[in-house]
């Protein structure tokens, strides 16, 4: 029933690979990217429905990546992942059109809930644009 | 597609009949009254009743027409008022933008002129001084960029996407974000959330933005030892209510009316763009709700949001 495609963007390899492994075990279609530019590159090559994006990454950070993603594919929903970002960056992210903020460490069920809600939102917006 | 088919004619007639029901009802009753009167009292009575029917028919119709015209006039003047308010708002807005952008521009000019002077001297300019000047220019450009970005977000009125929203959950998530990231470790955040709060049909991300903005303001107002209280409950009228209270410095009475205006800010220059509450106001309005503020100087402020349980209730 969860037939949507997820991209997780995080420079922490262990964290990213664990999430990928656990979600794939739940039959979720998910890919990973270790940086903002890599994520944007992948987004050019294929379609994703929901992106899970770490706020704090070296080089291009999550906020900058979010801005680029929304320019490229405005209908893709983005869930921001954060360890300890500032409230300002939280506000900035929401203003740039992020769907939600999730604090690390994240319970997988909570993340699944938010992924589903984000995808539902994407589908509703697709309907609007028809 | 036959426009004049009998059924379509009936369809156009129906609303007319409905709107003028009092007129026709009065006429019908009096006309019916005329029949027995005619039997009992003869022709003159029937004629009198008929005349009365016609007379009242015209009077009632006349009154209704006048009422309609008055309503139209009122609508028009409401529209004009709104239009002039809009124009005034645009005026204020442009003044605000000009002011906000001019400040960084002035600093950039100062720094650039100073650097030019340094470079025009014969000896090579001091490296640290050059670096300081250039750093300041970059900082001011960033500041201006943030203003224009915020403004674009403000202008880009994102259409709400309606989903089932668990308001308590949003508040728990956002308070967690704030608690984990607030610079003060002594932040005192109290939550009184009604446990059986109904799901509302609203836009989650937009509400998160509002809650986060209000919490951020409350933290800044409350300062070191302040307390922030977040309350949710169902109001008497069935709307869902969120209240964010702080025990901070409060807002002077003369500022309360402007608090939701774009670019209205009491924060020092360069801190905050004065768009936060304006954005909140815009969002809540689009979601069919209301946002209001009460404040006692020196004791704290209280922001209250009321949201309909479904957007259809408000015809959005």
């Amino acid at each position: 029933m969860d037939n949507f495609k997820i991209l997780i963007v995080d420079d922490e390899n262990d964290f990213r690979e664990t999430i990928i492994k656990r979600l794939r075990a739940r039959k979720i279609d998910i890919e990973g990217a270790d940086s903002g530019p890599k994520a944007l590159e992948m987004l050019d090559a294929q379609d994703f429905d929901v992106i899970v994006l770490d706020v704090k990454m070296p080089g291009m950070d999550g906020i900058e990546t979010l801005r680029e993603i929304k320019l490229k594919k405005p209908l893709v929903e983005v869930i921001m992942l954060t360890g300890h970002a500032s409230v300002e960056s939280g506000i900035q992210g929401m203003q740039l059109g992020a769907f939600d903020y999730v604090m690390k460490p994240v319970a997988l069920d909570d993340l699944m809930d938010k992924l589903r809600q984000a995808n539902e939102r994407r589908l509703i917006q697709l309907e609007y644009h028809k | 597609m036959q426009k004049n088919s009998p059924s379509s004619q009936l369809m156009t007639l129906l609303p007319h009949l409905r709107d003028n029901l009092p007129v026709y009802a009065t006429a019908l009753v009096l006309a019916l009254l005329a029949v027995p009167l005619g039997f009992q009292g003869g022709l003159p009575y029937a004629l009198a009743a008929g005349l009365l029917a016609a007379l009242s028919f015209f009077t009632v119709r006349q009154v209704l027409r006048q009422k309609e015209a008055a309503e139209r006039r009122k609508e028009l003047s409401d529209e004009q008022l709104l239009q002039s308010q809009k124009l005034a708002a645009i005026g204020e807005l442009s003044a605000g933008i000009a002011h906000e952008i001019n400040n960084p521009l002035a600093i950039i000019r100062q720094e650039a002129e100073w650097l030019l002077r340094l470079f025009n001297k014969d000896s090579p300019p001091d490296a640290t001084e050059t670096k300081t000047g250039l750093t300041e220019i970059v900082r001011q450009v960033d500041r201006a960029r943030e203003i224009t970005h915020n403004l674009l977000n403000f202008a880009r009125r994102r259409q709400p996407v309606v989903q089932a929203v668990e308001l308590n959950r949003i508040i728990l998530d956002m308070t967690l974000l704030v608690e984990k990231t607030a610079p003060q470790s002594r932040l005192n955040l109290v939550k009184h959330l009604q446990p059986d709060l109904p799901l509302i049909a609203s836009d989650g991300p937009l509400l998160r933005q509002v809650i986060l903005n209000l919490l951020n303001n409350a933290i800044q107002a409350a300062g070191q030892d302040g307390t922030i209280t977040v309350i949710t409950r169902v109001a008497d009228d069935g709307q869902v209510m969120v209240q964010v209270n702080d025990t901070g410095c409060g807002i002077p009475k003369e500022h309360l009316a402007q608090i939701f205006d774009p670019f209205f800010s009491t924060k020092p220059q360069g801190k905050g763009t004065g768009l936060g509450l304006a954005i909140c106001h815009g969002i809540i309005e689009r979601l069919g709700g209301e946002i209001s503020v009460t404040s006692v100087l020196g004791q704290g402020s209280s922001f209250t949001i009321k949201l309909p349980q479904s957007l259809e209730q408000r015809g959005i």
Side-chain angles (χ1 to χ4, degrees), chain B residues 12-39:
Chain B
T12 52
L13 204 62
L14 271 179
H16 172 78
L17 273 174
R18 193 189 54 221
D19 291 345
N20 292 299
L21 197 62
V23 185
Y24 295 117
T26 318
L28 192 70
V29 167
L30 283 168
L32 282 177
L33 221 68
V35 178
L37 271 174
F39 274 122

PDB file of all heavy atoms in Angstrom, chain B residues 12-39:
ATOM      1  N   THR B  12     -34.482  29.140 -14.292  1.00  0.00           N
ATOM      2  CA  THR B  12     -34.136  30.540 -14.058  1.00  0.00           C
ATOM      3  C   THR B  12     -35.231  31.245 -13.272  1.00  0.00           C
ATOM      4  O   THR B  12     -34.976  32.219 -12.576  1.00  0.00           O
ATOM      5  CB  THR B  12     -33.904  31.296 -15.383  1.00  0.00           C
ATOM      6  OG1 THR B  12     -35.023  31.080 -16.210  1.00  0.00           O
ATOM      7  CG2 THR B  12     -32.629  30.854 -16.064  1.00  0.00           C
ATOM      8  N   LEU B  13     -36.446  30.723 -13.397  1.00  0.00           N
ATOM      9  CA  LEU B  13     -37.571  31.352 -12.711  1.00  0.00           C
ATOM     10  C   LEU B  13     -37.564  31.016 -11.222  1.00  0.00           C
ATOM     11  O   LEU B  13     -37.976  31.828 -10.390  1.00  0.00           O
ATOM     12  CB  LEU B  13     -38.870  30.865 -13.360  1.00  0.00           C
ATOM     13  CG  LEU B  13     -40.078  31.781 -13.203  1.00  0.00           C
ATOM     14  CD1 LEU B  13     -39.794  33.119 -13.882  1.00  0.00           C
ATOM     15  CD2 LEU B  13     -41.316  31.123 -13.781  1.00  0.00           C
ATOM     16  N   LEU B  14     -37.101  29.807 -10.908  1.00  0.00           N
ATOM     17  CA  LEU B  14     -37.176  29.316  -9.525  1.00  0.00           C
ATOM     18  C   LEU B  14     -36.538  30.255  -8.501  1.00  0.00           C
ATOM     19  O   LEU B  14     -37.191  30.583  -7.507  1.00  0.00           O
ATOM     20  CB  LEU B  14     -36.559  27.916  -9.434  1.00  0.00           C
ATOM     21  CG  LEU B  14     -37.552  26.773  -9.680  1.00  0.00           C
ATOM     22  CD1 LEU B  14     -36.861  25.429  -9.598  1.00  0.00           C
ATOM     23  CD2 LEU B  14     -38.740  26.839  -8.725  1.00  0.00           C
ATOM     24  N   PRO B  15     -35.278  30.676  -8.728  1.00  0.00           N
ATOM     25  CA  PRO B  15     -34.676  31.561  -7.725  1.00  0.00           C
ATOM     26  C   PRO B  15     -35.464  32.851  -7.557  1.00  0.00           C
ATOM     27  O   PRO B  15     -35.613  33.355  -6.452  1.00  0.00           O
ATOM     28  CB  PRO B  15     -33.278  31.846  -8.282  1.00  0.00           C
ATOM     29  CG  PRO B  15     -33.078  31.007  -9.462  1.00  0.00           C
ATOM     30  CD  PRO B  15     -34.365  30.360  -9.817  1.00  0.00           C
ATOM     31  N   HIS B  16     -35.996  33.346  -8.698  1.00  0.00           N
ATOM     32  CA  HIS B  16     -36.788  34.568  -8.650  1.00  0.00           C
ATOM     33  C   HIS B  16     -38.002  34.368  -7.755  1.00  0.00           C
ATOM     34  O   HIS B  16     -38.327  35.187  -6.909  1.00  0.00           O
ATOM     35  CB  HIS B  16     -37.208  34.935 -10.078  1.00  0.00           C
ATOM     36  CG  HIS B  16     -38.173  36.072 -10.129  1.00  0.00           C
ATOM     37  ND1 HIS B  16     -37.762  37.368  -9.988  1.00  0.00           N
ATOM     38  CD2 HIS B  16     -39.518  36.096 -10.276  1.00  0.00           C
ATOM     39  CE1 HIS B  16     -38.832  38.157 -10.056  1.00  0.00           C
ATOM     40  NE2 HIS B  16     -39.908  37.411 -10.233  1.00  0.00           N
ATOM     41  N   LEU B  17     -38.674  33.219  -7.956  1.00  0.00           N
ATOM     42  CA  LEU B  17     -39.849  32.891  -7.147  1.00  0.00           C
ATOM     43  C   LEU B  17     -39.488  32.816  -5.674  1.00  0.00           C
ATOM     44  O   LEU B  17     -40.193  33.332  -4.822  1.00  0.00           O
ATOM     45  CB  LEU B  17     -40.413  31.540  -7.601  1.00  0.00           C
ATOM     46  CG  LEU B  17     -41.412  31.584  -8.752  1.00  0.00           C
ATOM     47  CD1 LEU B  17     -41.774  30.183  -9.176  1.00  0.00           C
ATOM     48  CD2 LEU B  17     -42.645  32.377  -8.352  1.00  0.00           C
ATOM     49  N   ARG B  18     -38.328  32.180  -5.400  1.00  0.00           N
ATOM     50  CA  ARG B  18     -37.920  31.970  -4.019  1.00  0.00           C
ATOM     51  C   ARG B  18     -37.628  33.321  -3.346  1.00  0.00           C
ATOM     52  O   ARG B  18     -38.056  33.579  -2.244  1.00  0.00           O
ATOM     53  CB  ARG B  18     -36.670  31.083  -3.990  1.00  0.00           C
ATOM     54  CG  ARG B  18     -36.339  30.541  -2.623  1.00  0.00           C
ATOM     55  CD  ARG B  18     -34.987  29.875  -2.648  1.00  0.00           C
ATOM     56  NE  ARG B  18     -33.976  30.770  -3.164  1.00  0.00           N
ATOM     57  CZ  ARG B  18     -33.007  30.407  -4.011  1.00  0.00           C
ATOM     58  NH1 ARG B  18     -32.928  29.168  -4.430  1.00  0.00           N
ATOM     59  NH2 ARG B  18     -32.126  31.284  -4.419  1.00  0.00           N
ATOM     60  N   ASP B  19     -36.907  34.182  -4.098  1.00  0.00           N
ATOM     61  CA  ASP B  19     -36.509  35.464  -3.517  1.00  0.00           C
ATOM     62  C   ASP B  19     -37.707  36.357  -3.239  1.00  0.00           C
ATOM     63  O   ASP B  19     -37.698  37.153  -2.307  1.00  0.00           O
ATOM     64  CB  ASP B  19     -35.533  36.200  -4.447  1.00  0.00           C
ATOM     65  CG  ASP B  19     -34.193  35.480  -4.511  1.00  0.00           C
ATOM     66  OD1 ASP B  19     -33.978  34.630  -3.622  1.00  0.00           O
ATOM     67  OD2 ASP B  19     -33.417  35.752  -5.432  1.00  0.00           O
ATOM     68  N   ASN B  20     -38.726  36.228  -4.093  1.00  0.00           N
ATOM     69  CA  ASN B  20     -39.863  37.128  -3.947  1.00  0.00           C
ATOM     70  C   ASN B  20     -41.054  36.446  -3.293  1.00  0.00           C
ATOM     71  O   ASN B  20     -42.182  36.886  -3.428  1.00  0.00           O
ATOM     72  CB  ASN B  20     -40.266  37.693  -5.312  1.00  0.00           C
ATOM     73  CG  ASN B  20     -39.197  38.626  -5.828  1.00  0.00           C
ATOM     74  OD1 ASN B  20     -38.902  39.639  -5.196  1.00  0.00           O
ATOM     75  ND2 ASN B  20     -38.602  38.281  -6.946  1.00  0.00           N
ATOM     76  N   LEU B  21     -40.772  35.383  -2.570  1.00  0.00           N
ATOM     77  CA  LEU B  21     -41.834  34.595  -1.953  1.00  0.00           C
ATOM     78  C   LEU B  21     -42.792  35.445  -1.119  1.00  0.00           C
ATOM     79  O   LEU B  21     -44.018  35.303  -1.267  1.00  0.00           O
ATOM     80  CB  LEU B  21     -41.206  33.476  -1.097  1.00  0.00           C
ATOM     81  CG  LEU B  21     -42.177  32.358  -0.734  1.00  0.00           C
ATOM     82  CD1 LEU B  21     -42.682  31.660  -1.986  1.00  0.00           C
ATOM     83  CD2 LEU B  21     -41.518  31.358   0.207  1.00  0.00           C
ATOM     84  N   PRO B  22     -42.294  36.354  -0.261  1.00  0.00           N
ATOM     85  CA  PRO B  22     -43.221  37.141   0.563  1.00  0.00           C
ATOM     86  C   PRO B  22     -44.217  37.921  -0.282  1.00  0.00           C
ATOM     87  O   PRO B  22     -45.402  38.008   0.063  1.00  0.00           O
ATOM     88  CB  PRO B  22     -42.301  38.103   1.323  1.00  0.00           C
ATOM     89  CG  PRO B  22     -40.931  37.566   1.188  1.00  0.00           C
ATOM     90  CD  PRO B  22     -40.901  36.699  -0.014  1.00  0.00           C
ATOM     91  N   VAL B  23     -43.734  38.443  -1.409  1.00  0.00           N
ATOM     92  CA  VAL B  23     -44.604  39.248  -2.275  1.00  0.00           C
ATOM     93  C   VAL B  23     -45.746  38.407  -2.821  1.00  0.00           C
ATOM     94  O   VAL B  23     -46.922  38.758  -2.704  1.00  0.00           O
ATOM     95  CB  VAL B  23     -43.788  39.816  -3.462  1.00  0.00           C
ATOM     96  CG1 VAL B  23     -44.653  40.738  -4.286  1.00  0.00           C
ATOM     97  CG2 VAL B  23     -42.548  40.535  -2.945  1.00  0.00           C
ATOM     98  N   TYR B  24     -45.361  37.265  -3.410  1.00  0.00           N
ATOM     99  CA  TYR B  24     -46.391  36.429  -4.029  1.00  0.00           C
ATOM    100  C   TYR B  24     -47.303  35.810  -2.997  1.00  0.00           C
ATOM    101  O   TYR B  24     -48.504  35.657  -3.230  1.00  0.00           O
ATOM    102  CB  TYR B  24     -45.730  35.356  -4.890  1.00  0.00           C
ATOM    103  CG  TYR B  24     -44.999  35.953  -6.058  1.00  0.00           C
ATOM    104  CD1 TYR B  24     -43.637  35.834  -6.196  1.00  0.00           C
ATOM    105  CD2 TYR B  24     -45.708  36.679  -7.020  1.00  0.00           C
ATOM    106  CE1 TYR B  24     -42.968  36.401  -7.258  1.00  0.00           C
ATOM    107  CE2 TYR B  24     -45.056  37.258  -8.087  1.00  0.00           C
ATOM    108  CZ  TYR B  24     -43.682  37.125  -8.209  1.00  0.00           C
ATOM    109  OH  TYR B  24     -43.040  37.698  -9.253  1.00  0.00           O
ATOM    110  N   ALA B  25     -46.765  35.478  -1.829  1.00  0.00           N
ATOM    111  CA  ALA B  25     -47.576  34.864  -0.774  1.00  0.00           C
ATOM    112  C   ALA B  25     -48.658  35.840  -0.330  1.00  0.00           C
ATOM    113  O   ALA B  25     -49.832  35.468  -0.229  1.00  0.00           O
ATOM    114  CB  ALA B  25     -46.686  34.466   0.408  1.00  0.00           C
ATOM    115  N   THR B  26     -48.265  37.115  -0.109  1.00  0.00           N
ATOM    116  CA  THR B  26     -49.228  38.126   0.328  1.00  0.00           C
ATOM    117  C   THR B  26     -50.341  38.273  -0.717  1.00  0.00           C
ATOM    118  O   THR B  26     -51.535  38.272  -0.386  1.00  0.00           O
ATOM    119  CB  THR B  26     -48.526  39.498   0.470  1.00  0.00           C
ATOM    120  OG1 THR B  26     -47.268  39.297   1.077  1.00  0.00           O
ATOM    121  CG2 THR B  26     -49.353  40.447   1.300  1.00  0.00           C
ATOM    122  N   ALA B  27     -49.919  38.385  -1.967  1.00  0.00           N
ATOM    123  CA  ALA B  27     -50.885  38.583  -3.047  1.00  0.00           C
ATOM    124  C   ALA B  27     -51.850  37.404  -3.126  1.00  0.00           C
ATOM    125  O   ALA B  27     -53.062  37.581  -3.251  1.00  0.00           O
ATOM    126  CB  ALA B  27     -50.146  38.753  -4.374  1.00  0.00           C
ATOM    127  N   LEU B  28     -51.279  36.202  -2.987  1.00  0.00           N
ATOM    128  CA  LEU B  28     -52.096  34.999  -3.109  1.00  0.00           C
ATOM    129  C   LEU B  28     -53.123  34.921  -1.996  1.00  0.00           C
ATOM    130  O   LEU B  28     -54.308  34.651  -2.234  1.00  0.00           O
ATOM    131  CB  LEU B  28     -51.162  33.769  -3.076  1.00  0.00           C
ATOM    132  CG  LEU B  28     -51.825  32.454  -3.465  1.00  0.00           C
ATOM    133  CD1 LEU B  28     -52.160  32.450  -4.953  1.00  0.00           C
ATOM    134  CD2 LEU B  28     -50.929  31.281  -3.121  1.00  0.00           C
ATOM    135  N   VAL B  29     -52.679  35.186  -0.768  1.00  0.00           N
ATOM    136  CA  VAL B  29     -53.584  35.112   0.377  1.00  0.00           C
ATOM    137  C   VAL B  29     -54.731  36.096   0.197  1.00  0.00           C
ATOM    138  O   VAL B  29     -55.909  35.750   0.362  1.00  0.00           O
ATOM    139  CB  VAL B  29     -52.812  35.401   1.698  1.00  0.00           C
ATOM    140  CG1 VAL B  29     -53.801  35.635   2.838  1.00  0.00           C
ATOM    141  CG2 VAL B  29     -51.894  34.242   2.027  1.00  0.00           C
ATOM    142  N   LEU B  30     -54.405  37.315  -0.175  1.00  0.00           N
ATOM    143  CA  LEU B  30     -55.445  38.338  -0.325  1.00  0.00           C
ATOM    144  C   LEU B  30     -56.386  38.013  -1.485  1.00  0.00           C
ATOM    145  O   LEU B  30     -57.584  38.236  -1.407  1.00  0.00           O
ATOM    146  CB  LEU B  30     -54.795  39.716  -0.532  1.00  0.00           C
ATOM    147  CG  LEU B  30     -54.255  40.301   0.775  1.00  0.00           C
ATOM    148  CD1 LEU B  30     -53.381  41.501   0.504  1.00  0.00           C
ATOM    149  CD2 LEU B  30     -55.405  40.692   1.705  1.00  0.00           C
ATOM    150  N   ALA B  31     -55.795  37.466  -2.557  1.00  0.00           N
ATOM    151  CA  ALA B  31     -56.621  37.094  -3.712  1.00  0.00           C
ATOM    152  C   ALA B  31     -57.591  35.978  -3.322  1.00  0.00           C
ATOM    153  O   ALA B  31     -58.760  35.992  -3.703  1.00  0.00           O
ATOM    154  CB  ALA B  31     -55.723  36.649  -4.859  1.00  0.00           C
ATOM    155  N   LEU B  32     -57.102  35.013  -2.548  1.00  0.00           N
ATOM    156  CA  LEU B  32     -57.961  33.915  -2.092  1.00  0.00           C
ATOM    157  C   LEU B  32     -59.061  34.447  -1.183  1.00  0.00           C
ATOM    158  O   LEU B  32     -60.189  33.978  -1.208  1.00  0.00           O
ATOM    159  CB  LEU B  32     -57.125  32.865  -1.345  1.00  0.00           C
ATOM    160  CG  LEU B  32     -56.312  31.924  -2.244  1.00  0.00           C
ATOM    161  CD1 LEU B  32     -55.460  30.984  -1.411  1.00  0.00           C
ATOM    162  CD2 LEU B  32     -57.249  31.136  -3.166  1.00  0.00           C
ATOM    163  N   LEU B  33     -58.680  35.455  -0.366  1.00  0.00           N
ATOM    164  CA  LEU B  33     -59.637  36.067   0.542  1.00  0.00           C
ATOM    165  C   LEU B  33     -60.768  36.745  -0.241  1.00  0.00           C
ATOM    166  O   LEU B  33     -61.909  36.783   0.191  1.00  0.00           O
ATOM    167  CB  LEU B  33     -58.901  37.114   1.398  1.00  0.00           C
ATOM    168  CG  LEU B  33     -59.281  37.147   2.873  1.00  0.00           C
ATOM    169  CD1 LEU B  33     -58.806  35.862   3.541  1.00  0.00           C
ATOM    170  CD2 LEU B  33     -58.651  38.367   3.547  1.00  0.00           C
ATOM    171  N   ALA B  34     -60.392  37.254  -1.416  1.00  0.00           N
ATOM    172  CA  ALA B  34     -61.364  37.997  -2.227  1.00  0.00           C
ATOM    173  C   ALA B  34     -62.500  37.098  -2.711  1.00  0.00           C
ATOM    174  O   ALA B  34     -63.636  37.547  -2.874  1.00  0.00           O
ATOM    175  CB  ALA B  34     -60.661  38.629  -3.418  1.00  0.00           C
ATOM    176  N   VAL B  35     -62.197  35.804  -2.932  1.00  0.00           N
ATOM    177  CA  VAL B  35     -63.204  34.891  -3.479  1.00  0.00           C
ATOM    178  C   VAL B  35     -64.389  34.710  -2.517  1.00  0.00           C
ATOM    179  O   VAL B  35     -65.531  34.993  -2.890  1.00  0.00           O
ATOM    180  CB  VAL B  35     -62.553  33.541  -3.851  1.00  0.00           C
ATOM    181  CG1 VAL B  35     -63.603  32.574  -4.369  1.00  0.00           C
ATOM    182  CG2 VAL B  35     -61.464  33.761  -4.891  1.00  0.00           C
ATOM    183  N   PRO B  36     -64.138  34.258  -1.248  1.00  0.00           N
ATOM    184  CA  PRO B  36     -65.287  34.125  -0.333  1.00  0.00           C
ATOM    185  C   PRO B  36     -65.980  35.461  -0.076  1.00  0.00           C
ATOM    186  O   PRO B  36     -67.208  35.519   0.053  1.00  0.00           O
ATOM    187  CB  PRO B  36     -64.672  33.580   0.963  1.00  0.00           C
ATOM    188  CG  PRO B  36     -63.202  33.738   0.828  1.00  0.00           C
ATOM    189  CD  PRO B  36     -62.884  33.817  -0.614  1.00  0.00           C
ATOM    190  N   LEU B  37     -65.192  36.540  -0.037  1.00  0.00           N
ATOM    191  CA  LEU B  37     -65.785  37.851   0.191  1.00  0.00           C
ATOM    192  C   LEU B  37     -66.741  38.192  -0.946  1.00  0.00           C
ATOM    193  O   LEU B  37     -67.812  38.756  -0.731  1.00  0.00           O
ATOM    194  CB  LEU B  37     -64.692  38.915   0.289  1.00  0.00           C
ATOM    195  CG  LEU B  37     -64.129  39.164   1.695  1.00  0.00           C
ATOM    196  CD1 LEU B  37     -62.957  40.127   1.618  1.00  0.00           C
ATOM    197  CD2 LEU B  37     -65.214  39.699   2.619  1.00  0.00           C
ATOM    198  N   GLY B  38     -66.316  37.814  -2.141  1.00  0.00           N
ATOM    199  CA  GLY B  38     -67.151  38.064  -3.311  1.00  0.00           C
ATOM    200  C   GLY B  38     -68.460  37.294  -3.215  1.00  0.00           C
ATOM    201  O   GLY B  38     -69.529  37.818  -3.532  1.00  0.00           O
ATOM    202  N   PHE B  39     -68.416  36.054  -2.711  1.00  0.00           N
ATOM    203  CA  PHE B  39     -69.618  35.242  -2.543  1.00  0.00           C
ATOM    204  C   PHE B  39     -70.539  35.852  -1.519  1.00  0.00           C
ATOM    205  O   PHE B  39     -71.743  35.953  -1.705  1.00  0.00           O
ATOM    206  CB  PHE B  39     -69.244  33.818  -2.091  1.00  0.00           C
ATOM    207  CG  PHE B  39     -68.925  32.934  -3.261  1.00  0.00           C
ATOM    208  CD1 PHE B  39     -67.697  32.307  -3.374  1.00  0.00           C
ATOM    209  CD2 PHE B  39     -69.885  32.726  -4.265  1.00  0.00           C
ATOM    210  CE1 PHE B  39     -67.398  31.501  -4.439  1.00  0.00           C
ATOM    211  CE2 PHE B  39     -69.584  31.904  -5.347  1.00  0.00           C
ATOM    212  CZ  PHE B  39     -68.349  31.293  -5.435  1.00  0.00           C
TER     213      PHE B  39
END
